[in-house]
Amino acid sequence: MTPLVELKDVYKIYKMGDTSVHALDGISLTIEKGEFVAIVGQSGSGKSTCMNIIGCLDVATKGTYKLNGRRIGNYSQDELAEIRNKMLGFIFQQYNLIPKLTVLENVQLPLLYAGMRESEQRARALASLERVGLKAKAGNYPSQLSGGQQQRVSIARALAGEPSVILADEPTGALDSRTGREVMMFLQKLNREGNTIILVTHDNSIAARAKRIVRITDGRIVYDGPVEGDVTVMQMHGAGEEAPEDEKAKGAT
Amino acid sequence: MLWKCFKMAINSVISNKMRSLLTMLGIIIGITAVISLVSLMSGLTSEVTDAFEEVGIEAISVAVTDRADTIELPVEHVDELAQKYPDIIQGYSPSVTMPAYIKDGTESVMSSATGVNEQYIDLYGYKIEYGRGITYIDVERMQKVCVIGTYIAKEFFDGDALGKTLQITGTPYKVVGIIEERSDSEKDSDDDCIYVPYTVAAHTVHSSKISRYIVYATNQETVEAAETLIEQLCDKDIGDDDYYTVIAMKAIAESLTSILDSMGAVLIAIAAISLVVAGIGIMNIMLVSVTERTREIGIRKSLGAKQRDILSQFIMEAGMLSCIGGVIGIAFGSLLAVGAGKLLDMNVLPTPASIIVSFTVSAAIGVFFGFMPAKKAAELNPIDALRYD
Ligand SMILES: Nc1ncnc2c1ncn2[C@@H]1O[C@H](COP(=O)(O)OP(=O)(O)O)[C@@H](O)[C@H]1O
Ligand SMILES: [Mg+2]
């Protein structure tokens, strides 16, 4: 069976004047259908860069990336857009809902760009909102919703197109810890229902809710395996703590 | 998809009412100016052409100065010319103006009669309603007969004029024909006219020579040829062109309409400049809008919007702004044109063509000036756009 996501020796190099930043420095990673993977690392370690490449928002400088066996290389912007539309669902830290569109219209967006009929868009978007328990808020505007509700709307939007992979970049980053945990529980539920989820976080306690941990430091994978094998996570989790503040501070420097 | 795009554009225009209105203002002013100017100019032009069409655009007037006795353009020569070139000259008539005092009860009313030949009434485009026109016999025998317009018939005979006698400056003329109403039977209109045989008129004014002719070309295309023939004749008979003038109505009409046309063109060019400025205003606002909505564009792209989706969204928005501006401008312009027409007592109405062209132009301005900002939006890199705040 072809893996869903297959990164082979992937580099992302940003040239800034005569210095160059290796945001990704030879990443190889394979993710199968149905997995729940957390990409963890300090701020600036290259998680988002990795996520952007997996999400076809960006292309690697070097190395190969295959999504569902299809090599993502010399595609045009429009072809990448189509791949994103058909195969990927995004959940962002800032929810990224469009404020002047209603909740329903926001959820309809990926279906709209898929060229679906209006009536079908509505039906699917409503079904998707129902899954996150926000069908009643379909006619509201995002600003009328709480942070947790907005994030659930963005999850509904990610689910609407029935993507092969759901990509979540710091989905709990803007939420208080309780709402953050709710969102995580919802993602776990989605995973149990068969969805493949890739989660990016700097928060070890959040990462601990995934099934597999990929730890990145300075653009390299330093650990890839089950949650139980990751020392840092186990320490944190075992101690029952939230993300330590000093790690954030370290990342910022 | 297109409908959705349309709805999005409308929403965006409505959600920024003040800004949209200010952006549209340029287009509104420009289109208002274009519509009202074009309507006014075309009203003026049709007024002018109407005036010339009454006389007949094929008419050529020939006037010979009557100072010296030796200068003469005899009727026989003009007649010969007309006989010789029937393809070019439709006909001619001497035109002798005769002052006329008409007795109305005890009062004398000042009017004028025109001495013409048997061709004139037809050439001028009159139709005889009752009786007959001036005939060759009338001219030859210098019969004191007259053909009158409906105003004279109404005013002096209460409509029942045929066969009666009209006293013109003390001389009785028998009314042999009444011309069909052409205007409104009012004083000084085309219906206020008296025609008599030119021989009678010439005799009355004690002139042995005819100093004015009106010659009709067969059609508009032969006017120039007819003019040349007449000028050659005048040259032969009179010689010095200081003593005669040949003027074609067509030439006057053409020079007048061309003056009006170029005046109109200058005015429209000025209005067009305002439209270009308006377009730049739209471009400016669209650029601001694209920058403000960078994140939105990033979101849309991450969800699968293609370049053309973003492109059409922003072009639609710019087009919407300028189209709404155009429609408002057309409405204002039409009102202004009709109002000005009322003021000038002219029939001024915006033509359907000018409305269609104005609307198309305003749509085109939106699309043209919206294209650059829209292209900029469409080409945004999704990650950079998502990161923007
Ligand atoms: N567009 C860019 N230009 C230059 N450097 C970049 C760009 N994007 C990311 N980087 C650099 O790449 C590294 C990894 O960034 P990122 O993947 O955003 O980290 P993380 O999401 O783990 O915090 C950082 O050092 C960052 O400064
Ligand atoms: Mg990041």
Side-chain angles (χ1 to χ4, degrees):
Chain A
M1 204 181 100
T2 45
L4 203 48
V5 168
E6 191 178 10
L7 293 164
K8 256 201 203 122
D9 208 23
V10 165
Y11 288 80
K12 183 71 191 183
I13 301 163
Y14 292 109
K15 289 225 158 41
M16 302 173 83
D18 38 32
T19 62
S20 57
V21 180
H22 285 235
L24 293 182
D25 202 13
I27 296 256
S28 295
L29 179 63
T30 305
I31 297 169
E32 303 289 344
K33 193 173 178 319
E35 283 199 78
F36 188 173
V37 182
I39 299 175
V40 208
Q42 294 176 359
S43 175
S45 55
K47 309 180 296 288
S48 292
T49 307
C50 184
M51 173 73 96
N52 289 339
I53 287 173
I54 295 173
C56 299
L57 287 165
D58 204 355
V59 284
T61 314
K62 219 162 69 179
T64 60
Y65 167 43
K66 283 187 191 164
L67 178 62
N68 214 2
R70 183 175 177 186
R71 175 146 181 210
I72 310 297
N74 299 314
Y75 282 119
S76 71
Q77 284 278 357
D78 280 358
E79 285 162 329
L80 290 176
E82 184 156 355
I83 293 167
R84 289 195 293 273
N85 184 259
K86 296 259 157 16
M87 304 198 54
L88 302 158
F90 291 95
I91 302 167
F92 300 99
Q93 176 174 3
Q94 298 299 336
Y95 328 130
N96 279 349
L97 299 174
I98 295 176
K100 58 175 197 242
L101 298 184
T102 63
V103 162
L104 182 66
E105 284 169 329
N106 265 290
V107 178
Q108 271 180 241
L109 274 182
L111 308 175
L112 165 73
Y113 291 124
M116 202 175 274
R117 280 206 340 271
E118 165 79 20
S119 56
E120 201 180 339
Q121 286 175 30
R122 273 182 72 89
R124 289 230 202 163
L126 282 171
S128 197
L129 278 171
E130 180 138 53
R131 280 179 81 178
V132 300
L134 284 173
K135 197 177 174 184
K137 302 277 184 193
N140 287 60
Y141 286 90
S143 57
Q144 298 168 320
L145 270 56
S146 73
Q149 287 174 323
Q150 288 189 52
Q151 193 58 299
R152 269 148 68 198
V153 172
S154 96
I155 294 172
R157 183 178 63 187
L159 290 173
E162 287 165 11
S164 310
V165 188
I166 290 170
L167 299 170
D169 192 348
E170 309 268 12
T172 59
L175 302 174
D176 62 73
S177 51
R178 202 176 61 83
T179 339
R181 267 200 301 278
E182 273 168 28
V183 166
M184 280 315 296
M185 269 151 70
F186 191 77
L187 289 180
Q188 286 175 306
K189 180 168 152 257
L190 287 178
N191 177 245
R192 281 196 298 278
E193 288 167 7
N195 292 289
T196 311
I197 297 174
I198 303 174
L199 164 79
V200 159
T201 181
H202 67 271
D203 187 334
N204 290 307
S205 65
I206 293 290
R209 295 185 179 272
K211 288 187 197 155
R212 173 179 161 194
I213 298 273
V214 173
R215 183 167 292 277
I216 297 185
T217 303
D218 292 335
R220 284 193 196 148
I221 295 180
V222 293
Y223 174 80
D224 182 359
V227 179
E228 295 74 29
D230 188 273
V231 189
T232 331
V233 170
M234 285 322 285
Q235 272 174 2
M236 294 304 144
H237 201 55
E241 282 176 31
E242 297 294 334
E245 288 307 309
D246 66 306
E247 188 179 303
K248 280 185 195 161
K250 244 194 297 175
T253 49
Chain B
M1 187 71 212
L2 209 68
W3 166 241
K4 195 83 189 176
C5 222
F6 187 77
K7 230 176 84 182
M8 268 182 334
I10 289 213
N11 276 341
S12 172
V13 170
I14 291 172
S15 62
N16 287 308
K17 278 190 205 69
M18 194 61 191
R19 184 200 275 188
S20 300
L21 190 70
L22 287 174
T23 313
M24 283 186 280
L25 208 56
I27 296 278
I28 295 175
I29 292 170
I31 295 289
T32 302
V34 169
I35 285 279
S36 52
L37 289 175
V38 168
S39 309
L40 266 176
M41 291 320 283
S42 75
L44 220 60
T45 308
S46 72
E47 198 90 338
V48 167
T49 42
D50 278 1
F52 280 95
E53 242 138 47
E54 266 180 14
V55 188
I57 202 82
E58 306 90 0
I60 300 163
S61 130
V62 187
V64 181
T65 180
D66 47 18
R67 267 179 300 167
D69 281 343
T70 47
I71 294 164
E72 188 178 4
L73 182 61
V75 178
E76 296 75 37
H77 289 187
V78 180
D79 196 57
E80 254 170 52
L81 192 73
Q83 303 286 338
K84 202 168 157 193
Y85 299 102
D87 291 344
I88 297 171
I89 297 172
Q90 189 189 346
Y92 76 97
S93 171
S95 174
V96 182
T97 308
M98 176 176 98
Y101 291 94
I102 301 166
K103 262 248 161 65
D104 183 15
T106 52
E107 258 177 86
S108 237
V109 179
M110 170 66 169
S111 180
S112 83
T114 311
V116 297
N117 68 5
E118 69 282 0
Q119 300 176 26
Y120 182 83
I121 285 174
D122 263 359
L123 287 173
Y124 193 80
Y126 279 137
K127 290 194 181 62
I128 298 292
E129 190 168 20
Y130 301 111
R132 60 174 176 86
I134 304 284
T135 62
Y136 181 70
I137 310 281
D138 293 334
V139 174
E140 275 299 291
R141 299 198 182 152
M142 297 177 66
Q143 313 218 65
K144 297 220 168 28
V145 295
C146 67
V147 173
I148 58 175
T150 48
Y151 166 72
I152 305 286
K154 185 185 78 177
E155 195 65 23
F156 300 100
F157 299 99
D158 290 329
D160 181 25
L162 200 62
K164 303 252 167 72
T165 302
L166 182 67
Q167 294 282 343
I168 303 176
T169 326
T171 310
Y173 285 75
K174 190 180 176 204
V175 179
V176 294
I178 297 165
I179 298 164
E180 199 179 275
E181 184 181 66
R182 175 141 139 166
S183 169
D184 48 10
S185 298
E186 289 301 318
K187 194 164 168 49
D188 297 325
S189 75
D190 250 14
D191 299 318
D192 178 8
C193 59
I194 304 164
Y195 292 103
V196 298
Y198 74 88
T199 44
V200 177
H203 181 78
T204 310
V205 297
H206 309 292
S207 164
S208 55
K209 314 171 303 192
I210 304 300
S211 55
R212 245 198 101 213
Y213 292 89
I214 185 146
V215 180
Y216 278 82
T218 45
N219 57 51
Q220 284 195 40
E221 278 68 49
T222 54
V223 168
E224 283 80 9
E227 209 181 344
T228 313
L229 287 175
I230 296 161
E231 273 167 354
Q232 283 166 353
L233 178 68
C234 290
D235 197 43
K236 210 169 84 209
D237 278 11
I238 302 163
D240 194 336
D241 62 11
D242 282 349
Y243 293 126
Y244 66 87
T245 43
V246 178
I247 301 167
M249 288 299 162
K250 189 186 168 191
I252 302 174
E254 274 175 357
S255 63
L256 258 173
T257 41
S258 94
I259 289 170
L260 287 177
D261 281 354
S262 49
M263 254 168 73
V266 168
L267 291 174
I268 288 163
I270 293 169
I273 292 172
S274 77
L275 285 178
V276 171
V277 174
I280 293 169
I282 288 187
M283 179 154 72
N284 186 29
I285 286 296
M286 289 313 292
L287 280 172
V288 171
S289 174
V290 167
T291 310
E292 276 179 358
R293 284 151 68 187
T294 302
R295 199 180 177 86
E296 175 190 327
I297 295 162
I299 297 169
R300 288 178 184 276
K301 287 197 145 196
S302 75
L303 298 176
K306 299 199 170 126
Q307 296 205 359
R308 68 176 141 80
D309 295 325
I310 305 291
L311 194 74
S312 52
Q313 182 187 340
F314 280 90
I315 286 184
M316 184 75 94
E317 211 173 300
M320 183 81 63
L321 276 175
S322 62
C323 281
I324 295 174
V327 169
I328 297 176
I330 289 170
F332 278 173
S334 305
L335 282 176
L336 208 67
V338 172
K342 286 253 155 64
L343 233 83
L344 297 172
D345 197 20
M346 260 166 43
N347 192 19
V348 179
L349 267 181
T351 58
S354 69
I355 289 175
I356 292 168
V357 168
S358 299
F359 186 78
T360 315
V361 165
S362 42
I365 286 172
V367 171
F368 182 83
F369 287 98
F371 186 80
M372 198 266 265
K375 183 117 182 98
K376 193 181 151 195
E379 284 173 354
L380 278 176
N381 179 330
I383 324 173
D384 296 340
L386 273 175
R387 206 177 285 150
Y388 185 92
D389 31 32

